[in-house]
Structure formats: C-alpha cells, structure tokens
Amino acid sequence: DRYGVINTKRWDEANEWLLHGKSSQGFGFDTDLWKPAENLLSGNNLAHSILEEAKASANSFAKTYGRKPSLAVITVGDLERYQHAGRRHDIYSNSSSSWFSKTSTGEANGFDVQEINLDSSTSTDTLLSQIYALNEVDGIQLMWPLPDHIDTAKVYSAIEVSKDVDGIHYIGQLEIGNKGAYPPVTPAAAIALIDEWKVLLKGRRVLVIGRSPIVGSPLAHMIREKGAAVTIVHSEVSQETLKEIVGEADVIVTCAGLAGLIKADWIKGADVINVGTTFQEETDSLVSDVSGEIEKHAGRYSPVPGGIGPLSAPMLLKNVAKAAWDNMKSQGAAAHSGWERKPSRLQKSFHFRNYTEALKAANEVNEMSSIMDHHANMNFVHNCVNGVDLEMEFFTYEAKQITEKDYDAARAVDMAISKDVVEMEKFSYQLQEESIAKYPASPRGSSKLLMYDGKVTYFENFSKSFPSLAKGCHLVFNDSRVLDARLFVKDRTGSKMELMILDLGSIDVTQQCCNTTLQAMIRSSIVNKSDEFDIFGGGKVKITEVKGIWKEDEKSEGNGTEAFVCIDSDLSVESYLDQVGSVPIPPYFHRSAEESDKEAYNNTYATNAGSVAAPTAGLHFTNDVLNEIGAENCSYLSLHVGAGTFKPVMVKDARDHEMHAETFSVSVSELRGIISALKKNKPLIVVGTTSSRTLESLFWCGVKKLRGLDNNDNLDLGQFEWIPLNVGEGRNISRVAALEAIVDGLGENDVIHGKTSLMISPPIYDFKVVDHLVTNFHAPDSTLMLLVSAFLKDSNGSKIPKIYEDAQAEGYRFLSYGDVCLFSNPIGK
C-alpha cells in the first residue's frame, strides 16, 4: 500500500495462493508494525473489490453476448484539471486501474473503451452528431467542463439516460422516481467509502464544500438522502465564515479542488472525506483541500492519495457493466419477441387472418400511441388468401437512432396485440373441498399465517405473529363495508328465488330504492323486462332491463340472469338491505347465511357502505392488533367490491377476461398519510387485493395527470390503460410523484373518487406502489390468482400453485373465511 502499511485481507489472500491453502489467518504478519492507522479511511482495498466485481460482470457479459461492455469518453479541448494527468498516473496509479488511462484500464478489465478527443473549437452541432453516432456503445462519458461556446444543456440532454454512466441526469431521474439511474462516478465513490467504513450520516451535520454539477451538488443530494442535515458552501465564502461552519460540522466532505482552502486546526473531531485534490508541481505531489496535520484534528479521514481517487475508475466501469446488461435486457426483450433491430429503428411484422383483425390491431396501437406520445409507422401487406401482414416500426426522429422509448413502445405493442396467451391453468391449483373454510376462525384473528419472502414460513396464529412482522411499516386497509345484498323473491310458483345485488359501488346507497336502478342477478334463466316479483320480507322488485346470462363457473350453461332492477320502497338502499336482505356470503360456502355472519363477514374497521363481497384479508385484524400496530401507522381507502369478484376466468387467454369496473374513494388526508410514509422510506403493507388494486390504479391515474392526459375530478382507469402509460417518462415516475399529482391542489377534507377496471396479470405487470401484500388464499380460477402471481413475479406459474398446494398439505384453510398470507415483493421499491 502507498501508506507503508499492509492490508490484512490481501495479505491472507496472497498466503492462500502462495502456500496452497496451508497457512492460517494472519500468518507471518506483524500487526503492530504494518496495520493501518485506525482513523485512516483508505479506499485502495475497496477499489480493488469494486474493480474485480466490474471485471467479473464484464467477463460474464462477454460470455453471454459475445462482446465486451463498451464505453465512449468524449473530451472537447484540453481540460486544465488534467494537465498533470500523465504525472499523476506515473506516481499514483497503473495502466490497469487508472482514471487517466481509461482505454488501457478498460482493456485490462474486459471493457472496450474508446477515447474521443475533439478540438476546443468543436461546435455544438458537431458534438451532437458525435453523440448521436455512438448508438452502439453501452455508455457515454462527456468530460466536464465544456468550452463556453457549447450549448451544455443541449449536448448533455442528448445523452440517453440508459447510456449516462457518468450520472449527469442522476438527480433529475431520482426526482421522477427512476431508482435505476446510474450515479455520478466520484460522488458514488465517496458514498461507497462512507458505507464501507460505516461513517454515520443520519441525523448528523454534514458540510459539503464545493457545488460543481458533477461532484458537490449530486454528492450533497446523495448524503441528504441518507438522512443527514446538509450544508453546502463554496470557495467564495469568507475564511471567517468557513472556519466557523467547519468547526460545527460532524462530517466534512471537501470537493473544492483548492489546496489549503481549509486549515486542519479548524476541524473539531469531525470525520473528513477528502474528494477534491490538487497536483502541486513544486512538490511533485497530490494534496487535498485541507492543509496541516489533519490526523491530529479529524476523527477519521480519507487520505490523499489513496482515499477517493482509486475508486473513480472502478465505479465508472461498474456503471458501464450495469448499463451493458440493462441495454441487452431491453434489446433482448424486443428481439425475443420478434422485433428486428436495424441501425436506427425497430421493426416487426404481425400476421392476421384478414383485414378486419389487422385494422383492429392497428387501431389499438394508434390509440395507445397518443398516450405513449410515440407513434409507430405502419404498413399493410395483403397476401390474398394467406391473410394480412401489419408491418410496424419505431424510431426516435430527434436522436436519429433507437432509444429506450422505442424499446418501451415495442414492448407495449407486444403486450396489447401479442398472440402469446396468458393461460389461466398455469396459475391454477387443485383446491380440495375440505380445504374451503365454511366458517371463520374463532376467535377473530386466530387464523394461521403463511409468510413468503423468497422462502415459506408458517405461523400458527396471525394475531400473535403479525404485529412484529409489520414493525416499521405503514399499513393500508380497505374500509368498505358489506351490505346485506342478497334478497329472496317469490318465483311464479311461490318458491324462494335468489336475487343478488351485483354492484353497489356505482350508486349512492343513501338514496331511495324507488329512485335507484340496481344491477342484479336473478337465479332463473327465464326473466323478462317488466317482470315483477314479491320480495320475502316486504316490497316488490321490477325488472327494468335484461342484460344477459350470468355465469359463475366454466362448466355451467348459466347460473341465472343478469338484469337491472328497481325496488319499490321509499327506504334508502342501505336501510332496505339492512332490514330485508341477508349477508351475501360466497356461493362456494354451500350454506345459507347465519346471524353470526353479519359480524364475521365485515372487517372491524369497516365504515363506508358499498360492497357486496368482503375485502376478506382484513377479517383477521382485531382491535387489539390494530392498537398494537398504532393508528399513526395505518391509512384507509375504499374500494367497493362487486360480485364480479366471484366470476372465474373462463377464456383461454386471461387477457380476454373482462374486468368489472369497481369504484373507489380515498380522502386527501389519508392519501397524504400514505405519501408521508413513503417519503420516510417506510415499506407499505397493503391489506387485500382490493387495496392493492386501488393504490396501483391511483398510481396510473397520477401518471395520467402528470402527462396532461386527465384533468377530470373523477378518476377512471381502463383494463389495460397502464400499458401505454408505462412508455417513456411514465416508466420512471415514482410512486410519490404520481400520488402527489392526485392530491395536488386539494384540501385535507376533500375526497377523491374514481373507477378502475385495472387487470393485474403476469408476466407483464410490475407493481408500482405495494411492498408487501396481506391476502387470503384465492380460488384457483380467479383473477386474484393472477394478481398475486404478478406480485411475486411468477411469470410461468411455478411459485403460487406450489405455495398453495403445500399450504393445503399443512392444513391451511382457504378462501374468504380461510387463513391468510403475507407476501413480499421480490423486487421491492
């Protein structure tokens, strides 16, 4: 090491190699003589580890794709800060790990690096042409600063986010929620060193000296994200003021690049991260921004050289390796689905049996294009009796090349019109009749809990185990209350016949029955418009419109008739159902509702009347459990569940299943509580598929508002409307930004109303809001099986069916009154 010390880990690695594994730890090493000082934050060993990691990633990439990860470094003119680059390379580094020899460093570690040096007189247009021409490389680094005559904003904006390995777009991308953006190299190196040596930042006063757009500014942002109170100063601050601020800081990060800007004796025990350096010709050495005996005044400090410097090149190559993998993943998805990559465009041909089908697909893509703000070129080729080919291509005109938005658009088109079916049977399982819970666990909350976070863990009692699992999280509940929506009428023979209200969410249940049209199912195949039936319990009901056959299972020819009805009563819908109706327990209970179901089939916190089926994940929560979790850690919304929740998927391709629209509402104050929790980085545990669907719908409605596509007070989301919204900037919008767009300009007492038909299904849907999901075990042919499969990224049905079948073997009870699961999102937020 350059400090005249030896790293113990690398010493042991050398002994392992030299003595063929026969040496003990620390063999032949005098720690008193050679061990580094305790307060020295060296970066050499960390740099070695990061470089080895980048090298391994590059080698794996080359084996997978037959080429090396590639980087283009553009320099315009002679950079003053690099005038001593050659000397610094000779004294402090070598050609396999130096910032000042990127081509040879790349070559030594499995990367293709081309260094492009342009004359200082290069125009903005010429530089833009050079950037646009680099459409085959994985990463671009445009060296800072640029000559004054260059339009800096224009040329840096021309670098795609997917190629921005120097992190010039990093802060902007973070602000819109793109956590995958590549961090700026030197700030990332500083953070890596801070993390390696466990320098505490949270809650401490951190002083960042320097404000450049490539180091000081992004580094301050990154430190602030770690919970520090950050102060930024610069070289124009007076020495007196600077001395005072330095003395008050707990951690000091120097980024000015001005030798002697800070005097060591100003420091009062703070940890110091030396980022800024200056090469002094008179001493032929590299020095930090701190002059004097720093080791006597700092708590801990990174040395110069040997602190941040060795980390810069490894961090850059690490970004390049990740960009290469990300790039091929993006391209690979398009290529795998038949998209052909041309030099400046993506092309694919879709075959249809006739013009009608081809035109339908073209219209779907055209409608999506307006939402995507990215239109496809389309061409029809008629092949007579052999059908029609719809040729499609995407390219970005301004960039003269394929961009990330083109790949997004190609994926969106595939999702919408692809022939690849989502087969329900892949996500199904064999449900045993004895596994169906006909009655709830008694007492409430004594049900079993299954947790899956990559592995399955079984808990015998929900109430005893869940609160500790939920510690530090924020919970979201659906507080919709189930009304007694099942009625019985007299058929033509005077016998009892079921009339089930299918949806109450789209009406005002406080309005009189006689002024309200209700959507219902009558358990008869012979129902005509204007038919009237007497209701057991009092009153009459009239058929105002017949909609069609009602099916509850795939094998049946019909389980009744779907119709619109009106009840002849002056009572409100809510009051009438409360007096006359019975609890709408699911048909698979194969029993009549009992008095105990009135309480058991509603959640303890249910307040907003409007469901005809229970949001059953909440049935396990008792008041004691809620109190243990704490009211401050809970938020509530309402999605009124319709009877469509019982309807199975009865089509070959699950995407063709029509989702019944369900209404939801959430107060601004509750939604702001959720936003506040997210800003505090508290994971969201969402209780129930209905709550999850509501939050995901709110996210996409927020994306619509941010993109200027929806200015209505009432929100509305179609079944697959999210697909085009996920293209381009929509893919990188954060959950906080989207939800804030919903509440923007509203008062705390306002209530947000909406309607959603969102279908969540693997393999294409990625959850945007939910971190953890509490949910019951679902019926094998339901859309809820698709939702939980999508949540666990189970694209081929290899996880959920096995988890369910193993749970049956363990004696778990299924469906509405059954036991419960806690699933963790494998990707996280």
Side-chain angles (χ1 to χ4, degrees), residues 4-52:
V5 297
I6 297 173
N7 182 278
T8 54
K9 181 182 177 183
R10 294 173 72 178
W11 175 270
D12 287 337
E13 288 174 353
N15 275 336
E16 180 81 13
W17 170 79
L18 182 64
L19 301 176
H20 306 289
K22 296 179 181 179
S23 67
S24 59
Q25 189 173 8
F27 175 75
F29 184 67
D30 186 343
T31 56
D32 292 335
L33 182 61
W34 296 109
K35 190 176 180 180
E38 293 292 339
N39 64 343
L40 198 64
L41 306 177
S42 169
N44 284 331
N45 189 54
L46 177 59
H48 174 76
S49 298
I50 295 172
L51 190 59
E52 287 300 307

Side-chain angles (χ1 to χ4, degrees), residues 100 115 156 161 292 356 393 410 431 440 466-467 749 781 810 822-823:
F100 302 108
E115 298 187 66
Y156 275 108
V161 173
T356 302
E393 68 175 19
L431 175 61
F466 182 78
N749 296 323
D781 52 4
E810 291 288 330
L822 171 60
F823 293 131

Side-chain angles (χ1 to χ4, degrees), residues 255-266:
C255 312
L258 294 173
L261 178 65
I262 303 151
K263 305 298 183 286
D265 58 10
W266 296 353

Side-chain angles (χ1 to χ4, degrees), residues 397-658:
Y397 177 79
E398 295 87 352
K400 306 293 192 296
Q401 61 178 325
I402 301 171
T403 65
E404 191 172 2
K405 194 170 186 179
D406 297 310
Y407 289 115
D408 286 347
R411 282 193 293 270
V413 168
D414 280 337
M415 291 176 193
I417 66 175
S418 172
K419 297 282 193 294
D420 296 331
V421 300
V422 177
E423 299 177 75
M424 190 68 227
E425 62 184 29
K426 286 184 178 179
F427 304 95
S428 191
Y429 67 100
Q430 191 65 42
L431 175 61
Q432 307 299 326
E433 181 66 26
E434 59 269 23
S435 295
I436 300 174
K438 305 297 195 301
Y439 293 90
S442 183
R444 187 189 289 259
S446 62
S447 45
K448 294 180 180 180
L449 170 65
L450 179 152
M451 184 176 77
Y452 181 80
D453 57 358
K455 66 180 184 301
V456 172
T457 306
Y458 299 112
F459 297 91
E460 283 300 312
N461 187 289
F462 175 83
S463 294
K464 292 179 181 178
S465 56
F466 182 78
S468 62
L469 298 173
K471 192 173 182 180
C473 298
H474 192 82
L475 279 71
V476 181
F477 298 90
N478 181 3
D479 66 4
S480 180
R481 182 164 63 86
V482 181
L483 290 175
D484 295 347
R486 180 171 281 123
L487 302 171
F488 291 95
V489 300
K490 293 181 181 179
D491 67 10
R492 290 171 178 81
T493 67
S495 300
K496 266 190 178 183
M497 181 170 67
E498 180 188 2
L499 186 151
M500 173 73 186
I501 308 298
L502 298 177
D503 176 40
L504 290 169
S506 58
I507 66 163
D508 183 352
V509 296
T510 65
Q511 294 295 309
Q512 288 180 311
C513 290
C514 57
N515 294 325
T516 305
T517 299
L518 299 168
Q519 188 179 354
M521 182 278 299
I522 300 97
R523 192 71 74 185
S524 171
S525 60
I526 304 173
V527 177
N528 299 305
K529 184 177 180 180
S530 299
D531 282 353
E532 287 191 1
F533 300 95
D534 290 325
I535 301 173
F536 283 92
K540 290 180 177 291
V541 61
K542 183 176 182 179
I543 310 299
T544 60
E545 182 183 343
V546 175
K547 193 173 180 183
I549 297 172
W550 173 263
K551 286 188 177 184
E552 286 172 1
D553 62 82
E554 191 173 1
K555 296 177 183 177
S556 87
E557 293 299 319
N559 304 92
T561 301
E562 187 174 351
F564 290 99
V565 305
C566 183
I567 297 171
D568 185 16
S569 172
D570 291 333
L571 292 174
S572 70
V573 173
E574 182 177 359
S575 297
Y576 182 84
L577 294 178
D578 186 53
Q579 292 182 23
V580 178
S582 65
V583 182
I585 58 174
Y588 48 70
F589 282 5
H590 301 301
R591 66 174 177 84
S592 299
E594 301 174 10
E595 186 62 30
S596 62
D597 290 312
K598 221 167 176 50
E599 178 185 354
Y601 199 58
N602 257 311
N603 294 310
T604 57
Y605 49 81
T607 53
N608 290 326
S611 283
V612 302
T616 54
L619 296 179
H620 310 275
F621 288 83
T622 64
N623 288 326
D624 286 343
V625 169
L626 292 172
N627 289 335
E628 190 171 350
I629 291 168
E632 71 280 6
N633 297 315
C634 298
S635 293
Y636 298 87
L637 47 76
S638 298
L639 181 137
H640 297 309
V641 186
T645 190
F646 300 133
K647 294 202 75 173
V649 177
M650 295 183 289
V651 289
K652 182 180 179 182
D653 187 348
R655 295 175 304 176
D656 293 332
H657 177 84
E658 183 182 354

Side-chain angles (χ1 to χ4, degrees), residues 171-413:
I171 293 180
Q173 288 298 305
L174 278 189
E175 291 299 326
I176 63 170
N178 180 14
K179 302 296 184 182
Y182 310 116
V185 172
T186 302
I191 294 295
L193 188 74
I194 286 167
D195 290 343
E196 174 73 7
W197 290 101
K198 296 180 174 58
V199 177
L200 179 64
L201 297 179
K202 187 174 182 179
R204 302 181 79 193
R205 293 169 297 182
V206 179
L207 174 63
V208 178
I209 303 172
R211 56 180 175 176
S212 79
I214 58 171
V215 181
S217 180
L219 184 50
H221 188 283
M222 294 163 85
I223 291 171
R224 187 191 70 196
E225 289 295 301
K226 285 183 169 286
V230 181
T231 301
I232 304 175
V233 298
H234 46 81
S235 57
E236 296 175 18
V237 171
S238 70
Q239 288 278 289
E240 183 179 346
T241 301
L242 187 56
K243 179 180 179 180
E244 180 182 349
I245 297 174
V246 166
E248 295 173 348
D250 299 315
V251 180
I252 300 168
V253 185
T254 67
C255 312
L258 294 173
L261 178 65
I262 303 151
K263 305 298 183 286
D265 58 10
W266 296 353
I267 302 167
K268 308 301 180 186
D271 292 331
V272 180
I273 310 297
N274 286 305
V275 180
T277 59
T278 305
F279 188 83
Q280 293 184 329
E281 286 186 89
E282 57 273 22
T283 58
D284 198 29
S285 63
L286 194 67
V287 298
S288 73
D289 293 347
V290 182
S291 62
E293 297 178 293
I294 188 173
E295 65 277 6
K296 291 184 178 181
H297 301 280
R300 293 185 292 173
Y301 69 98
S302 64
V304 174
I308 301 298
L311 290 160
S312 296
M315 292 301 297
L316 175 62
L317 295 184
K318 180 181 178 181
N319 279 355
V320 175
K322 186 176 186 304
W325 285 105
D326 290 347
N327 183 31
M328 290 309 295
K329 181 181 177 182
S330 177
Q331 293 181 25
H336 180 71
S337 59
W339 289 90
E340 186 178 358
R341 190 173 187 267
K342 300 289 187 179
S344 60
R345 61 197 65 223
L346 283 175
Q347 295 179 334
K348 183 176 180 178
S349 179
F350 295 85
H351 183 74
F352 299 92
R353 290 177 299 178
N354 51 54
Y355 261 115
T356 302
E357 290 184 2
L359 284 169
K360 180 183 176 184
N363 284 330
E364 284 184 39
V365 173
N366 187 51
E367 288 177 12
M368 288 169 52
S369 296
S370 297
I371 299 174
M372 295 188 295
D373 191 27
H374 203 51
H375 290 262
N377 287 336
M378 290 185 276
N379 183 46
F380 293 93
V381 178
H382 185 214
N383 299 309
C384 297
V385 295
N386 294 321
V388 177
D389 290 329
L390 175 57
E391 296 177 346
M392 207 170 299
E393 68 175 19
F394 284 105
F395 70 97
T396 302
Y397 177 79
E398 295 87 352
K400 306 293 192 296
Q401 61 178 325
I402 301 171
T403 65
E404 191 172 2
K405 194 170 186 179
D406 297 310
Y407 289 115
D408 286 347
R411 282 193 293 270
V413 168

